[in-house]
Amino acid sequence: MARVYNFSAGPSCLPEEVLKECAAEMLDYNGTGQSVMEMSHRSKAYEPIIEDAEKMVRKLMNVPENYKVLFVQGGGSTQFAMVAQNLGIKNKKAAYIETGVWAKKAAAEAKKLGIAVDVIVSSKDKNYSYIPKVEKVTGDYDYVYICFNNTIMGTHYEYIPETGDIPLVADISSCVLSEPLDVSKFGLLFAGAQKNLAPAGVTLVIVREDLIPEPEACLPGTPTMLAYKTHADNGSMYNTPPCYTIYVLDKVLHWIEKNGGAEGMLKRNQEKAEYLYNYLDNNEGNFYHATTEKGSRSLMNVPFLTKYSTGATDEASVAKEKEINDKFVKEAAAAGLVNLKGHRLVGGMRASIYNAMTLDGVKALVEFMKKFAEANK
């Protein structure tokens, strides 16, 4: 079967070049006679892999020397707790900017741990379809928390909030290395790997060294594995790390470097996103429209609705909208364009066009959309 164009929000498509390299090395990595899947994380064969992965993260993201690069498990959702347990220890108070589901869940997790959470601004009034502007955050907060790119809602920060001496924490799971980012403006960054970096299983954490407390200084009851210092002091190998996922991540990082680094990814992603948004904004008969406001649009996740998504709640309208959406997703899949079903909180469809998605894939999607609109107008 031919390769499909995979528009999944995550786990997402990986560069074909990387997949082929992994396949070629599956039974014998670097002359060891074994797969990385089988390899001891303490072995001389594996250690250079995780060391190179850290080196490449530092190089591609221009990570300052006073930051630790960690590879941990548990996904971004575990970071919701780890951030609070490790950073919310002085005043037990934090500011959250609520721009969608993931920031809202992160705030809820911090509350469970006894953090006094201030939602200082929210875009809930318009179903999180925009990023609110925050000029400067002040107060006795231990940290300020944002989700830099909102996978479900398709929004993205076009600015970095000014927080002064208050550490800024950002979830960059769905936009990591899709563009240059000034790490020094943040106290902590984290990213689940399964969108732009690797298969699911590893989470990248970049944290300023002075924000890493001793384990006993974390919130009471913090498990050993949820203290950043545990991982920082042990080279991310306190326990068995997700070895194979880190191996793939290292290969993806080299692929990013080969294709121009973060700057090259930004150019690639702008070209894809502009092609799709231009069609959504100018399609004949306004059959489709993007759900996010201009000025807040993600380059990675593009939700869109058809003209049948009127917002009406009567039974006939809801049934028609479901019928057309289901038809779109089914026919797109038959045409080799998969995982386009929208999230239930937005509806419609969603095209996630992460780093590995090609411009050809986006063009194929737009051509399908044109034919579908003509057949269903």
Side-chain angles (χ1 to χ4, degrees), residues 29 134 191 204 270 286 292 303:
Y29 172 72
V134 177
L204 172 67
Q270 285 176 329
N286 295 317
T292 51

Side-chain angles (χ1 to χ4, degrees), residues 168-317:
L168 179 61
V169 174
D171 176 355
I172 57 169
S173 294
S174 53
C175 62
V176 60
L177 277 170
S178 65
E179 60 187 339
L181 192 63
D182 187 350
V183 173
S184 69
K185 300 227 179 245
F186 300 85
L188 186 148
L189 297 163
F190 70 84
Q194 67 274 15
K195 302 172 189 295
N196 259 347
L197 295 178
V202 68
T203 302
L204 172 67
V205 176
I206 302 173
V207 55
R208 209 172 67 213
E209 290 179 351
D210 65 294
L211 297 177
I212 302 175
E214 294 296 328
E216 59 270 19
C218 294
L219 291 184
T222 296
T224 301
M225 285 295 292
L226 298 187
Y228 288 126
K229 192 166 178 61
T230 299
H231 305 281
D233 287 353
N234 291 279
S236 298
M237 291 203 288
Y238 176 79
N239 71 332
T240 306
C243 298
Y244 193 80
T245 307
I246 293 170
Y247 155 81
V248 179
L249 179 146
D250 187 43
K251 287 190 176 295
V252 171
L253 295 174
H254 281 279
W255 175 83
I256 290 173
E257 180 183 45
K258 182 178 177 181
N259 286 276
E263 292 81 4
M265 290 298 105
L266 176 60
K267 182 179 179 182
R268 174 189 179 98
N269 294 327
Q270 285 176 329
E271 186 176 19
K272 291 182 296 183
E274 285 173 7
Y275 193 93
L276 181 51
Y277 282 122
N278 282 342
Y279 175 68
L280 288 170
D281 291 339
N282 300 293
N283 63 95
E284 187 177 347
N286 295 317
F287 189 88
Y288 306 100
H289 64 275
T291 63
T292 51
E293 295 185 7
K294 293 180 180 180
S296 295
R297 288 178 170 178
S298 170
L299 300 182
M300 299 284 95
N301 312 101
V302 185
F304 58 93
L305 304 175
T306 71
K307 67 179 182 180
Y308 297 101
S309 302
T310 61
T313 56
D314 63 281
E315 189 173 328
S317 297

Side-chain angles (χ1 to χ4, degrees), residues 92-103:
K92 295 182 174 57
K93 185 177 179 182
Y96 281 69
I97 299 176
E98 187 185 86
T99 52
V101 169
W102 301 114

Side-chain angles (χ1 to χ4, degrees), residues 39-103:
M39 198 173 282
S40 167
H41 62 297
R42 304 292 184 193
S43 66
K44 290 183 179 179
Y46 184 74
E47 286 180 4
I49 294 174
I50 193 169
E51 289 171 359
D52 191 67
E54 178 180 342
K55 183 186 78 174
M56 290 302 296
V57 169
R58 289 187 176 278
K59 181 177 182 181
L60 292 172
M61 297 186 70
N62 194 26
V63 179
E65 289 186 6
N66 64 322
Y67 283 70
K68 290 287 188 181
V69 172
L70 311 176
F71 301 112
V72 301
Q73 300 180 59
S77 294
T78 298
Q79 289 307 305
F80 300 164
M82 285 186 76
V83 165
Q85 288 168 317
N86 288 261
L87 272 63
I89 58 177
K90 183 180 179 182
N91 298 315
K92 295 182 174 57
K93 185 177 179 182
Y96 281 69
I97 299 176
E98 187 185 86
T99 52
V101 169
W102 301 114

